[in-house]
């Protein structure tokens, strides 16, 4: 029984991530976008109206008023875009606020 549970947990996790990514890709509403493991050139390829609202060594949190943020992030080189916007989603030790101004 425990063996089956241990096998099911990674599948459940991957299914959850895939569902979030699909909802975001199909136009789901989110206050911001979370890009895990962003490629090296992503920041320089971002459109001018996209703001970096958070960053960590392994992720970026981005925001834009434009409705097509997800498509533009994929076009800029992101390999996975997830919904973001709730502070509690990312542990505090991984979050590094970006100074405004």
């Amino acid at each position: 029984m425990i063996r089956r549970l241990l096998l099911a947990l990674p599948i459940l996790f991957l299914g959850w991530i895939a569902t979030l990514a699909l909802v975001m890709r199909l136009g789901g509403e989110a206050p911001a976008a979370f890009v895990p493991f962003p490629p090296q050139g992503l920041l320089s390829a971002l459109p001018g109206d996209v703001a970096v609202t958070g960053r960590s060594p392994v992720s970026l949190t981005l925001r834009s008023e434009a409705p097509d943020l997800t498509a533009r992030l994929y076009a800029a080189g992101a390999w996975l875009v997830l919904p973001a916007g709730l502070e509690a989603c990312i542990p505090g030790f991984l979050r590094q606020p970006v100074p405004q101004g």
Side-chain angles (χ1 to χ4, degrees):
M1 178 69 168
I2 292 176
R3 186 177 191 184
R4 287 182 184 172
L5 180 62
L6 290 176
L7 289 174
L9 285 177
I11 294 169
L12 179 66
F13 178 73
L14 291 175
W16 175 62
I17 295 295
T19 300
L20 289 173
L22 184 62
V23 166
M24 194 72 171
R25 183 70 168 175
L26 295 176
E29 294 294 321
F34 177 76
V35 179
F37 307 105
Q40 196 166 28
L42 182 66
L43 283 176
S44 61
L46 290 175
D49 69 321
V50 176
V52 177
T53 59
R55 73 186 311 171
S56 79
V58 295
S59 69
L60 287 174
T61 304
L62 307 157
R63 179 181 213 108
S64 174
E65 296 299 321
D68 59 346
L69 175 61
T70 304
R72 295 187 307 147
L73 292 177
Y74 280 120
W79 67 277
L80 181 63
V81 179
L82 301 172
L86 300 173
E87 289 287 324
C89 288
I90 303 170
F93 70 90
L94 289 177
R95 206 175 17 211
Q96 177 183 1
V98 175
Q100 300 296 320

